[in-house]
Amino acid sequence: EVQLLESGGGLVQPGGSLRISCAASGFAFNSYAMSWVRQAPGKGPEWVSGFNIAGDRTYYTDSVKGRFTISRDTSSDTLYLQMHSLRAEDTAVYYCAVSSGWIFDYWGQGTLVTVSS
Amino acid sequence: EIVMTQSPATLSVSPGERATLSCRASQSLTSNLAWYQQKPGQAPRLLIYGASTRATGIPAKFSGSGSGTEFTLTISSLQSEDFAVYYCQQYNNWPTFGQGTKLEIK
């Protein structure tokens, strides 16, 4: 059974930094593409960043380029999202997802990131 | 960016009836469209991909159709567990989602 468990969310001030994690299990982590998708309160989901299957290419939506960095540790089957220069509009539940061709097959339960002073 | 527009924003349907949800893309997707269901406090769940292929474990009561820029999700014989928010998502380009249709009990 695929399991994705996010952690590390919390309250951070504008301009601050935060790293969130996603512990994966139940599948071959280094054989699947992975993504971060966020959802602001009352809004539809928004794809944020992703890895290709090989894990050697990363992708970002325009609004986070230069501020967010996606990474992964295949020794611990963990996906990360390092976020810098956080803004109020980054406030959302952040989900990690197993993706195939940008179809989001499995999702974690999410971790809430709140950017506020 | 491909903009996805869902209609209606809210759909009220009686249990046992059929619901028809619409999704329009700002440019052609061929069949690169997925549908997700989201219940309160839960993550979205993949229902349909390729516009009409049900994901693993999804019952036949959920069906998708359409191509190009116009797509439809049909849910037959509505039961209480089907009332939720539904999102369409395109993956013809960098992925984008619609704003959702809330399916509520009439």
Side-chain angles (χ1 to χ4, degrees):
Chain A
E1 178 190 4
V2 173
Q3 292 196 10
L4 302 167
L5 185 62
E6 301 93 337
S7 61
L11 175 64
V12 60
Q13 292 189 337
S17 299
L18 197 66
R19 188 180 79 160
I20 57 177
S21 305
C22 171
S25 61
F27 66 102
F29 182 75
N30 58 1
S31 297
Y32 286 85
M34 297 289 295
S35 284
W36 287 99
V37 181
R38 67 184 178 184
Q39 188 171 28
K43 303 293 186 181
E46 177 190 24
W47 171 76
V48 174
S49 179
F51 263 110
N52 64 342
I53 293 176
D56 58 357
R57 297 193 68 175
T58 59
Y59 308 93
Y60 300 91
T61 194
D62 285 347
S63 64
V64 308
K65 283 180 182 175
R67 300 190 298 125
F68 289 12
T69 302
I70 190 172
S71 62
R72 70 179 195 175
D73 182 347
T74 55
S75 67
S76 63
D77 291 355
T78 304
L79 184 72
Y80 300 100
L81 187 67
Q82 177 70 55
M83 303 180 287
H84 296 293
S85 303
L86 282 161
R87 308 165 180 168
E89 54 264 36
D90 296 317
T91 293
V93 175
Y94 284 71
Y95 297 99
C96 68
V98 179
S99 52
S100 51
W102 301 124
I103 300 166
F104 304 107
D105 303 83
Y106 299 98
W107 301 59
Q109 90 293 342
T111 188
L112 176 63
V113 173
T114 302
V115 184
S116 175
S117 55
Chain B
E1 174 181 314
I2 298 176
V3 177
M4 306 301 294
T5 303
Q6 293 186 242
S7 61
T10 303
L11 182 62
S12 299
V13 183
S14 300
E17 298 290 303
R18 174 188 301 178
T20 302
L21 289 66
S22 297
C23 176
R24 173 178 293 178
S26 60
Q27 59 185 268
S28 179
L29 307 178
T30 60
S31 296
N32 294 324
L33 182 105
W35 289 94
Y36 300 83
Q37 176 194 67
Q38 187 176 33
K39 298 179 180 179
Q42 296 184 17
R45 178 177 70 142
L46 177 66
L47 298 176
I48 301 281
Y49 63 93
S52 61
T53 302
R54 283 187 299 278
T56 302
I58 302 302
K61 66 184 303 181
F62 293 93
S63 63
S65 63
S67 64
T69 62
E70 301 283 343
F71 300 89
T72 300
L73 175 69
T74 302
I75 312 167
S76 61
S77 303
L78 284 167
Q79 299 179 320
S80 58
E81 60 265 29
D82 301 326
F83 292 94
V85 180
Y86 291 84
Y87 295 99
C88 62
Q89 176 237 326
Q90 66 80 20
Y91 50 95
N92 198 60
N93 203 325
W94 300 115
T96 53
F97 291 81
Q99 80 284 13
T101 291
K102 181 180 181 181
L103 180 59
E104 64 176 25
I105 300 175
K106 185 174 181 179

